[in-house]
Amino acid sequence: MVRYVANKFFYMLVSLFILISATFFLMKAIPGDPFMSEKKVPPEIQARLMEQYGLDKPVYVQYFKYLGDIATGDFGISMKHQNQEVTDIILQTFSASLKLGLIAIVISVIIGILLGMLAALYHRKLIDNVAMILAVLGIAVPSFVLASLIQFIFGEKLGWFHVMGFDGPLDYVLPVAALSAQPIAFIARLTRSSMLEVLHADYIKTAKAKGLNWMAIMFRHVIRNGILPVVTYIGPMTANIITGSVVIEQIFGIGGIGKVFVECITNRDYTMIMGVTIFYGVLLMLARFITDIVYVLVDPRIKLTGGKEG
Amino acid sequence: MAANETTFTSVSAELTPEDFRKIGVDEKQAEIIQRESISAWKDAWQRLSKNKLAMASLVVLLLIVLAAIFGPMFAHFDSSTNDLLNTNQPPSKEHWFGTDDLGRDMFVRTWMGTRISLIVGLAAALIDLLIGVIYGGIMGYFGGRVDAIMNKFSEVLYSIPYMLVTILLLVVFEPSIGTIILALTITGWINMSWIVRGEIMQLKNREFVLASRSMGAGSGRLLFRHLLPNAVGPIIVTLTLSVPNAIFSEAFLSFLGLGVQAPRASLGSMINDALTGWMYYPWRMLFPAIIISLTMLAFNIFGDGLRDALDPKLK
């Protein structure tokens, strides 16, 4: 187990290192320097600026300094919001996104599993069909379309919720709904197919034959084994929610990190882009790392040979 | 078996040699095939054509593709000509889908956008296919150390969040249709390569491969004539399902301003443009949103149907 975890952790670090380096060198590959577009500055000031940002040194020196800074959590100063540290901006805006994302994850898991279980138990009946139609719709309709749609219907036309802004608890409803639609659909489909498989497994027949009552079979065998594949979805779900939140925050006017990301890309605020990219990268890789570990913990059948086959 | 034996013993007492006669089986009869033989493809097609939902989505897809090709020809507007006297007009006889904030005809723009979204989706999927099949084929066929190294490499690459890489690339290289497709495929092929690898690994130990090898077939022939054609089912399914992914990714990039650039438009960038005033001009959002949802829906349902048809073992 320890070797397995260490192995996964090592590869996470390798990937992270590649991402960090790629970010650095890609940003360096952009022609010109960050102070070009401003009005003509005297060369002395230009040089002074370059020196202040460490841009006058050779690339490899900058690279190692950059690595060192990141290791201590210092992403530099935003190029557009002068005097503001990238790390500070990220930390300030992250809490709103974190709340939104966590609620969406919890809701997705609960509703998705319930929906998938119902569909499996009532296989080929009305509930199953309805659930699966919802699931296909959830996967196919892009989150930004859904977000605009429910914003229009429930915010604008019916007036049940605020169209924009993010103050009271009610304001969470629409963004969370838009954000969790796709994960719910995926989880429901995963749960359904694995539950169907489990329901027809021999050990369920054995349990029935032994006279175990229905509730015990459901809770001890079917559900426990049926929701296993959902664990593998933790990683992709985090990615899904993060990309989703970038758009959803934009649509609902929520001041989270997703909105900052869109802004810094449109402003070409390079230090900010690097910071948020690496921040997202760490988040996503951690999610995948946790998935790998949780999966082994809940499913002892997996062999610990350093990685899944195929 | 048990039942047969008992009847046999009870009847046996009355049997006489006359009861036995040679029927004489003509062994040639066994060679005659009564029904027309069905190839695997016909079989799959038969199953697919029974799946009403999948067939309906195939029709929808064909209609969308046809509309994207021929739609713009039916309107006498250009997709990028501004008409500042007629901005934000609701749908009318003149402009079937209304006009946008620069007075451009939404009907033409929607179908031009569909065209670009489809091109991006299909091209990205095809490039993924090409790289994935080659890389995955080599991994699966040679196995051993080659496989271990190449697989590790793809795993490391895969664990770098692909959306971030795509965004970074497009920040650096100005977005155009070409760079967008390239950025989408930079890690998009990995999934396909894993599918191909898994299939080849299963297939390469089968008897027909051994037979072919013992007749002197080389690696290239084995891989391209025997192994890959047999793995084509899962490959096609993965391909079908990766098209809507690419279309969605491009739409997402549009939100970051990294999608297809004006005056060109994709469905995603049109939806993004419409966001600002869409409470007042809902048609600007509605038509592209409907088309993109329909396209993704149809690709997904058709892909699922295809999977059921090509691999009846799976549910």
Side-chain angles (χ1 to χ4, degrees), chain A residues 34 96 107 141 212 218:
Chain A
I107 294 217
V141 177
L212 212 60
M218 280 308 292

Side-chain angles (χ1 to χ4, degrees), chain A residues 105-128:
Chain A
I105 287 178
V106 171
I107 294 217
S108 307
V109 169
I110 293 175
I111 297 187
I113 289 180
L114 277 179
L115 211 59
M117 270 168 50
L118 279 176
L121 289 178
Y122 297 93
H123 185 43
R124 303 231 160 102
K125 300 222 174 68
L126 184 68
I127 297 181
D128 184 25

Side-chain angles (χ1 to χ4, degrees), chain A residues 149-307:
Chain A
L149 199 68
I150 57 176
Q151 187 186 32
F152 187 62
I153 295 175
F154 297 104
E156 179 80 6
K157 288 281 160 195
L158 297 174
W160 291 354
F161 305 100
H162 290 144
V163 174
M164 286 265 191
F166 198 52
D167 309 310
L170 264 185
D171 291 340
Y172 281 91
V173 176
L174 294 184
V176 165
L179 208 48
S180 43
Q182 209 164 33
I184 286 178
F186 264 108
I187 292 176
R189 275 170 60 140
L190 273 178
T191 313
R192 173 177 176 268
S193 63
S194 88
M195 286 262 297
L196 282 178
E197 208 170 282
V198 173
L199 280 172
H200 293 114
D202 285 341
Y203 58 86
I204 300 296
K205 281 189 197 132
T206 313
K208 272 187 197 155
K210 273 178 10 190
L212 212 60
N213 72 14
W214 187 80
M215 288 297 270
I217 295 178
M218 280 308 292
F219 280 99
R220 217 178 291 162
H221 297 293
V222 179
I223 293 179
R224 209 183 140 191
N225 286 300
I227 62 174
L228 265 183
V230 176
V231 175
T232 56
Y233 185 60
I234 297 175
M237 177 165 62
T238 319
N240 200 320
I241 296 231
I242 285 180
T243 42
S245 71
V246 170
V247 176
I248 301 288
E249 285 175 14
Q250 182 91 331
I251 291 177
F252 288 98
I254 299 164
I257 196 169
K259 200 152 173 272
V260 171
F261 195 40
V262 178
E263 271 169 23
C264 67
I265 287 175
T266 29
N267 289 338
R268 293 291 192 271
D269 183 344
Y270 295 122
T271 38
M272 208 56 221
I273 295 179
M274 287 159 100
V276 181
T277 304
I278 291 163
F279 181 74
Y280 274 153
V282 170
L283 221 60
L284 289 170
M285 287 171 192
L286 269 181
R288 194 167 284 156
F289 178 65
I290 292 171
T291 307
D292 284 342
I293 290 171
V294 173
Y295 197 61
V296 180
L297 287 181
V298 291
D299 192 353
R301 285 170 299 188
I302 296 197
K303 275 181 291 167
L304 293 178
T305 48

Side-chain angles (χ1 to χ4, degrees), chain A residues 7-8 11-12 14-16 18-19 22-23 26-27 29-31 123-124 136-137 139-145 148-149 151-152 156 163 182 189 193 196-197 200 243-244 246-247 250-251 258 261-262 265-266 268 270 273 276-278 280-281 284-285 288 306-310, chain B residues 53 147 151-153 155-165 167-175 194-195 197-198 201 241 245 247-248 251-252 255-258 267-268 271-272 275 278-280 282 285-286 288-290 292-298 300-301 304 307 315:
Chain A
N7 192 8
K8 287 282 170 199
Y11 277 105
M12 182 177 75
V14 171
S15 311
L16 195 60
I18 294 176
L19 178 69
T23 324
L26 278 173
M27 291 295 147
I30 298 170
H123 185 43
R124 303 231 160 102
V136 171
L137 278 179
I139 290 171
V141 177
S143 55
F144 46 86
V145 172
S148 315
L149 199 68
Q151 187 186 32
F152 187 62
E156 179 80 6
V163 174
Q182 209 164 33
R189 275 170 60 140
S193 63
L196 282 178
E197 208 170 282
H200 293 114
T243 42
V246 170
V247 176
Q250 182 91 331
I251 291 177
F261 195 40
V262 178
I265 287 175
T266 29
R268 293 291 192 271
Y270 295 122
I273 295 179
V276 181
T277 304
I278 291 163
Y280 274 153
L284 289 170
M285 287 171 192
R288 194 167 284 156
K308 295 188 288 268
E309 267 305 306
Chain B
L53 260 178
D147 175 47
N151 197 25
K152 207 83 246 177
F153 174 73
E155 251 179 52
V156 170
L157 204 58
Y158 185 76
S159 65
I160 301 169
Y162 103 105
M163 224 26 181
L164 296 180
V165 180
I167 290 170
L168 278 178
L169 281 175
L170 288 173
V171 168
V172 178
F173 306 103
E174 289 300 307
W194 286 347
I195 302 262
R197 170 178 180 264
M201 284 195 145
L241 293 175
N245 269 341
I247 293 179
F248 174 79
F252 172 73
F255 268 86
L256 302 172
L258 296 175
L267 290 174
I271 295 172
N272 188 33
L275 263 184
W278 95 278
M279 300 275 174
Y280 311 103
M285 161 79 94
L286 199 62
I290 289 176
I292 200 172
S293 305
L294 262 183
T295 312
M296 303 214 2
L297 194 66
N300 272 303
I301 295 178
D304 280 353
R307 168 168 36 214
K315 254 199 298 291

